[in-house]
Amino acid sequence: MPTKSAKRRPRKAAKAARSSKSTARPKRREPQSLRLRHITPGITVNNLARSLAFYTEGLGMKLLRTTERPEQKYSLAFIGYGNNPDHAEIELTYNHGVDHYELGTAYGHIAIGVPDVAAACEKIRHGGGNVTREAGPVKGGTTVIAFITDPDGYKVELIERKE
């Protein structure tokens, strides 16, 4: 049975093996200025417990994580069949003290990950888009987000996800 030192290449042999390989570097992909990656759609719910029961018991999703923000008066529950980035998730938002929404106001937002939220806002603004919440930390947290509206008025949240 070989010893540990017998399994290792001597330093000179390892260096020679490295130098005999091609020194050409692989082509570097140009970074995209705005890389859109689906993170999670968000919907506002009237009753968080009832909604969780529907999605977990009725549709077989799992409760992946929750966030409670009592000072900001909202709660979040993330559900899905697995975690991002391998699976889509749904963000259920419950605004404390609100137990009814008109159907037209129940839509929350969709969320998209971008490497630089502030730069994405500038690009959208320069393209004629509408930035409704400037880039900055989420209430009660540190994640950088912004909100924009699409041409039909639907809200889209941009969430900073560094590469």
Side-chain angles (χ1 to χ4, degrees):
M1 183 192 262
T3 65
K4 250 187 182 178
S5 61
K7 287 183 181 179
R8 286 193 219 154
R9 256 188 231 186
R11 286 185 185 189
K12 287 181 185 177
K15 186 176 181 181
R18 280 193 307 270
S19 66
S20 67
K21 292 180 184 175
S22 171
T23 58
R25 290 186 174 183
K27 285 186 179 178
R28 208 175 140 187
R29 288 178 27 181
E30 288 298 314
Q32 297 175 354
S33 61
L34 181 63
R35 181 176 176 203
L36 299 178
R37 191 170 35 172
H38 173 77
I39 295 177
T40 179
I43 58 174
T44 305
V45 299
N46 296 322
N47 181 311
L48 188 56
R50 183 180 65 201
S51 295
L52 284 172
F54 173 81
Y55 286 102
T56 59
E57 296 170 21
L59 297 176
M61 292 184 180
K62 297 173 187 161
L63 175 59
L64 303 172
R65 64 189 178 282
T66 60
T67 301
E68 293 293 331
R69 300 275 191 231
E71 289 181 24
Q72 290 76 30
K73 298 182 180 163
Y74 71 90
S75 300
L76 304 175
F78 295 86
I79 55 174
Y81 296 107
N83 292 311
N84 269 321
D86 299 321
H87 300 275
E89 297 177 2
I90 297 174
E91 173 189 316
L92 302 177
T93 303
Y94 173 68
N95 293 306
H96 301 182
V98 180
D99 60 0
H100 178 74
Y101 291 94
E102 297 296 322
L103 186 58
T105 60
Y107 174 79
H109 62 278
I110 61 170
I112 299 173
V114 297
D116 184 338
V117 171
C121 286
E122 270 312 303
K123 184 174 183 174
I124 290 161
R125 187 179 289 107
H126 285 295
N130 187 22
V131 177
T132 58
R133 185 218 192 257
E134 293 295 331
V138 66
K139 290 180 183 177
T142 58
T143 302
V144 176
I145 67 166
F147 276 87
I148 60 171
T149 54
D150 76 2
D152 295 309
Y154 287 105
K155 293 178 187 176
V156 178
E157 179 181 14
L158 303 176
I159 302 175
E160 196 158 285
R161 296 282 192 245
K162 299 287 185 188
E163 298 293 319

